[in-house]
């Protein structure tokens, strides 16, 4: 699937704005065909945004089930004869879409795009009604998983990941038009040959048996540097300007479909960053040079709009990354908006790209360790059907993000149970799946403290080791001396594995404005001391090739005794003000060189 764009042959129309909106607590909307008329009793809701925090009402915030969105769009008159598609960049966690009275598509998974050819269901020049039932229920067969529990106040969604279950239409909705013969996919793989760069490209098209493919590669000034013909091929760029961390240099690959007479049929522009990624022993190489990750695990999380994408906040967050000296982040714990990926490409920010497979671990709940009364992997809980949903999430992530030079690692899960035979059996096929879908990038998963060195049965499948550790916070709380010893001891074990290690999380909850002269958890001073202890430990190991502090900013979670208005491990507050830790990180990262 190609992301909608305007080109010489394509036109798109954003459907963002206020949509009609209704909850469906009695689950009657589908049976009563709510899509066939103006939504009954509808209010209005912003798209893109999570619906949860928009209303001042816990019935909306904590709602579980179908919610309905509806808009009316006038289809441009000029689109007569075109193929017309409705495209959702995401709908969390699943959706069914109707155009006028016709059901056109359903999609499972809250963070990847889906679309449908709706040409047969609307008419250029006429209005069309688009209705979406978005469902936010998590089950043992969803990624991420969850369970519905009955309480005296009704049903309640429970889950094992530590961020609020925001839902709704979080990203842009497009109506777009392409010619009938059209490009359906483009894959680029880049290489380096001394000063030259190579671009292997492969294209796919539909309804285009007669059409020929031509490609032109242009540099950032728009000058042609290479050209070719054929559905796939290799282009060579002498003296290529490499994409590199901090230097988001992009070429533009224009792919054209032409008819027999040479007339232009379809045209699509694909950005290309020429770079290589490789693991060599304990080194992580970008363009053959050792790379050390600095940065964060982040979230898509903002006041009011929840997980809704917002361009102003995107740019601001990247400015803060630059200010603090971060060169990377992980898209913890789900694929982020494609606007984020595009911007990271242009800014030269390096990404670890993660699936939504978080909370596959019933030993953890909301950051709290301990039995939660469920077995993680079993025929009745996370099972083969779940693994197929997980596999599909991996397929959709790689299909969507394969061409982004910023993405250097696929993370197939965050902190699953990984110390049991059942976990090993569950994960074993998922690693080769990811490698088969993309043989060019290292594949890993993020290991939890409950499966320490010597106990984890899944890490052996990964190309890199990604560790989340909270010595000095969840264990050895307030005792950084003991924490340092325990942490160094465990890390020594991992370092003996001969793989690069990235510390993908280390952090301490910190209430902004809380101070103490003696080391006291929750204070700004303790967070600074905690980070310094971690950095001392990392610096003792050559195998540690990166540190991503948890978290970039404070974020919303379910409420509970471990969370004070959300998770407070941010270097920045939720509204992006720096804590003392931000200045400490800035001093370290800007001097690492
Ligand atoms: C973790 C999780 C992350 C949590 C964090 C915490 O290990 O990966 O989602 O938010 O710990 O703060 O407990």
């Amino acid at each position: 699937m190609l992301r909608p764009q305007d080109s010489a042959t394509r036109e798109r129309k954003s459907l963002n704005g206020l949509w009609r909106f209704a909850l469906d607590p009695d689950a009657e909307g589908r049976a009563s065909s709510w899509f066939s008329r103006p939504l009954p009793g509808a209010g209005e809701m912003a798209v893109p945004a999570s619906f949860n925090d928009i209303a001042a009402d816990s019935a909306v915030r904590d709602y579980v089930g179908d919610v309905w969105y509806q808009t009316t769009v006038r289809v441009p008159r000029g689109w007569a004869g075109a193929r017309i598609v409705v495209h959702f960049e995401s709908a969390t966690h699943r959706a069914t879409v109707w155009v006028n009275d016709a059901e056109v598509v359903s999609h499972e998974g809250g963070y990847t795009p889906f679309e449908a050819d709706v040409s047969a269901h609307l008419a250029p020049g006429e209005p069309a009604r688009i209705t979406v039932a978005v469902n936010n229920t998590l089950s043992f067969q969803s990624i991420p998983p969850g369970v519905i529990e009955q309480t005296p106040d009704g049903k309640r969604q429970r889950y094992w990941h530590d961020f609020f279950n925001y839902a709704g239409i979080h990203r842009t909705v497009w109506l777009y038009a392409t010619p009938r013969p059209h490009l359906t996919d483009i894959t680029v793989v880049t290489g380096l040959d001394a000063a030259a760069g190579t671009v292997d490209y492969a294209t796919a098209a539909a309804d285009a048996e007669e059409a020929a493919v031509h490609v032109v590669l242009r540099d950032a000034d728009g000058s042609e540097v290479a050209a070719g013909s054929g559905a796939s091929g290799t282009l060579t760029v002498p003296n290529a300007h490499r994409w590199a961390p901090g230097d988001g240099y992009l070429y533009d690959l224009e792919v054209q479909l032409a008819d027999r007479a040479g007339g232009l049929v379809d045209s699509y522009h694909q950005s290309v960053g020429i770079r290589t990624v490789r693991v060599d022993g304990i080194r992580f190489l970008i363009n053959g040079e050792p790379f050390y990750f600095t940065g964060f695990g982040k979230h898509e999380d903002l006041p009011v709009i929840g997980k809704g994408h917002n361009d102003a906040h995107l740019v601001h967050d990247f400015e803060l990354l630059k200010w603090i000296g971060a060169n990377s982040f992980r898209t913890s714990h789900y694929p982020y908006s494609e606007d984020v990926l595009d911007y990271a490409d242009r800014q030269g920010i390096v990404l670890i790209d993660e699936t939504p497979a978080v909370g596959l671990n019933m030993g953890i709940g909301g950051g709290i360790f301990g039995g939660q009364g469920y077995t993680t992997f079993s025929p009745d809980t996370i099972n083969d059907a779940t693994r197929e949903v997980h596999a599909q999430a991996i397929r959709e992530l790689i299909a969507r993000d394969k061409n982004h030079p910023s993405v250097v690692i696929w993370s197939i899960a965050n902190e699953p149970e990984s110390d049991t035979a059942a976990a090993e059996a569950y994960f074993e096929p998922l690693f080769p799946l990811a490698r088969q879908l993309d043989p060019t990038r290292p594949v890993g998963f993020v290991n939890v403290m409950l499966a320490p060195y010597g106990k984890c049965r899944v890490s052996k499948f990964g190309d890199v080791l990604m560790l989340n550790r909270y010595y000095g916070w969840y264990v050895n709380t307030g005792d950084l001396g003991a924490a340092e010893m325990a942490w160094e001891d465990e890390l020594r074990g991992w370092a003996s594995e001969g793989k690069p290690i990235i510390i993908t999380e280390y952090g301490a909850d910190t209430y902004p404005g809380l101070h103490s002269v003696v080391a006291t958890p929750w204070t700004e001073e303790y967070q600074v001391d905690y980070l310094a202890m971690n950095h001392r430990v990392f610096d003792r190991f050559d195998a540690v090739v990166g540190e991503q502090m948890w978290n970039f900013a404070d974020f919303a979670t379910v409420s509970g005794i471990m969370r004070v208005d959300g998770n407070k491990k941010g270097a920045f507050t939720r509204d992006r003000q720096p804590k003392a830790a931000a200045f400490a990180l800035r001093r370290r990262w800007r001097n690492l060189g």
Side-chain angles (χ1 to χ4, degrees):
M1 191 189 308
L2 294 172
R3 193 178 188 201
Q5 69 173 214
D6 290 316
S7 77
T9 58
R10 293 170 171 240
E11 210 176 313
R12 61 184 183 168
K13 181 170 171 145
S14 160
L15 304 188
N16 292 352
L18 292 177
W19 290 44
R20 293 187 285 283
F21 178 79
L23 305 182
D24 185 6
D26 300 321
E28 56 185 315
R30 291 174 198 250
S32 307
S33 304
W34 280 6
F35 49 83
S36 68
R37 56 185 189 278
L39 281 182
E44 293 191 58
M45 181 53 65
V47 172
S50 300
F51 63 78
N52 308 78
D53 288 347
I54 304 262
D57 184 352
S58 63
V60 179
R61 181 179 151 96
D62 299 325
Y63 180 81
V64 188
D66 280 344
V67 297
W68 291 74
Y69 288 78
Q70 190 177 65
T71 192
T72 303
V73 55
R74 189 168 284 276
V75 184
R77 225 162 34 132
W79 290 6
R83 168 181 164 266
I84 301 173
V85 180
V86 65
H87 178 103
F88 289 78
E89 293 189 350
S90 71
T92 312
H93 292 280
R94 65 190 59 76
T96 303
V97 182
W98 292 261
V99 171
N100 293 321
D101 286 347
E103 181 178 325
V104 296
V105 64
S106 284
H107 180 258
E108 173 72 27
Y111 304 93
T112 41
F114 56 95
E115 63 179 29
D117 180 340
V118 295
S119 316
H121 307 295
L122 41 66
E126 299 296 322
R129 187 179 58 250
I130 299 182
T131 310
V132 192
V134 178
N135 183 282
N136 67 348
T137 309
L138 301 176
S139 73
F140 285 120
Q141 277 65 56
S142 66
I143 293 291
V147 67
I148 301 283
E149 291 179 345
Q150 296 300 332
T151 75
D153 294 332
K155 51 183 184 174
R156 211 184 141 92
Q157 179 76 64
R158 176 151 165 206
Y159 44 92
W160 297 273
H161 56 270
D162 183 35
F163 54 94
F164 191 81
N165 186 34
Y166 281 119
I169 301 179
H170 288 150
R171 300 174 190 159
T172 296
V173 184
W174 300 102
L175 194 66
Y176 74 95
T178 74
R180 292 250 149 235
H182 61 279
L183 293 158
T184 55
D185 198 17
I186 299 170
T187 308
V188 295
V189 173
T190 63
L192 296 170
D193 182 3
T198 56
V199 179
D200 296 340
Y201 73 90
T203 64
D207 301 325
E209 294 75 25
E210 304 278 283
V213 177
H214 300 296
V215 298
V216 180
L217 190 70
R218 298 185 180 86
D219 65 16
D221 295 328
S223 305
E224 183 174 321
V225 294
S229 288
S232 61
T234 299
L235 305 175
T236 302
V237 185
N239 290 315
H241 187 147
R242 298 171 179 192
W243 187 97
D247 184 8
Y249 190 90
L250 297 175
Y251 290 86
D252 174 68
L253 181 73
E254 183 179 359
V255 181
Q256 297 186 333
L257 277 183
D259 63 22
R260 282 192 159 173
L264 182 65
V265 175
D266 193 14
S267 161
Y268 194 90
H269 289 262
Q270 173 65 54
S271 296
V272 178
I274 298 179
R275 60 104 182 92
T276 61
V277 175
R278 195 161 59 85
V279 166
D280 175 32
I282 59 167
R283 300 188 308 162
F284 193 91
L285 305 177
I286 299 182
N287 299 333
E289 312 253 324
F291 178 66
Y292 191 89
F293 297 76
T294 59
F296 301 96
K298 277 185 104 265
H299 264 300
E300 292 187 313
D301 176 87
L302 289 166
V304 185
I305 61 173
K307 294 202 174 308
H309 175 73
N310 177 277
D311 278 338
H313 281 281
L314 163 68
V315 174
H316 185 54
D317 278 6
F318 275 67
E319 289 301 309
L320 293 176
L321 292 174
K322 215 179 296 171
W323 174 85
I324 208 166
N327 60 22
S328 68
F329 63 87
R330 176 170 58 120
T331 71
S332 43
H333 296 306
Y334 36 81
Y336 288 6
S337 160
E338 289 159 90
D339 291 325
V340 177
L341 281 279
D342 285 345
Y343 197 59
D345 288 345
R346 295 199 294 276
Q347 294 293 311
I349 289 284
V350 171
L351 300 181
I352 300 174
D353 205 2
E354 190 157 276
T355 71
V358 57
L360 283 72
N361 194 334
M362 278 135 225
I364 308 179
I368 309 172
F369 302 104
Q372 304 280 320
Y374 294 98
T375 303
T376 302
F377 298 103
S378 79
D380 298 330
T381 54
I382 296 180
N383 58 20
D384 289 350
T386 319
R387 183 168 58 190
E388 184 41 41
V389 177
H390 190 163
Q392 183 61 16
I394 294 172
R395 287 185 203 106
E396 292 187 19
L397 172 71
I398 295 180
R400 193 194 75 161
D401 290 350
K402 62 188 174 185
N403 292 330
H404 287 285
S406 54
V407 174
V408 301
I409 295 174
W410 302 117
S411 167
I412 66 172
N414 178 72
E415 295 198 345
E417 177 180 302
S418 64
D419 56 347
T420 56
E424 184 176 348
Y426 176 95
F427 277 102
E428 188 168 8
L430 296 180
F431 286 84
L433 171 69
R435 289 196 187 95
Q436 173 215 327
L437 294 164
D438 177 9
T440 74
R441 288 179 180 86
V443 178
F445 88 109
V446 173
N447 161 283
V448 67
M449 200 161 182
L450 295 173
Y453 176 69
K455 296 263 168 55
C456 184
R457 302 173 65 145
V458 177
S459 300
K460 61 184 176 213
F461 299 130
D463 302 310
V464 292
L465 298 169
M466 296 188 278
L467 308 179
N468 293 353
R469 288 298 181 276
Y470 288 91
Y471 290 101
W473 186 254
Y474 289 121
V475 295
N476 308 119
T477 316
D479 186 350
L480 293 177
E484 184 165 349
M485 277 171 60
W487 193 185
E488 181 175 349
D489 200 41
E490 194 198 341
L491 202 46
R492 193 172 306 115
W494 288 110
S496 70
E497 303 249 300
K499 293 180 185 178
I501 301 170
I502 302 161
I503 311 304
T504 34
E505 290 183 25
Y506 60 110
D509 281 276
T510 302
Y511 203 86
L514 203 61
H515 296 289
S516 170
V517 290
V518 293
T520 308
W522 291 94
T523 62
E524 296 204 26
E525 289 76 17
Y526 187 79
Q527 191 181 30
V528 170
D529 290 352
Y530 169 96
L531 295 178
M533 178 279 285
N534 273 272
H535 297 151
R536 282 196 299 277
V537 174
F538 305 162
D539 290 346
R540 291 177 195 137
F541 295 96
D542 291 339
V544 172
V545 300
E547 54 195 58
Q548 293 187 329
M549 183 260 197
W550 190 257
N551 186 284
F552 172 74
D554 295 344
F555 57 92
T557 65
V558 283
S559 51
I561 53 166
M562 303 282 279
R563 296 288 173 258
V564 184
D565 184 31
N567 188 306
K568 289 280 183 282
K569 295 193 184 70
F572 297 93
T573 60
R574 200 179 189 208
D575 60 0
R576 276 45 177 177
Q577 297 305 317
K579 300 180 191 170
F583 295 94
L585 290 168
R586 183 171 196 259
R587 276 191 295 278
R588 173 173 167 86
W589 289 345
R590 290 174 75 110
N591 289 321
L592 279 180

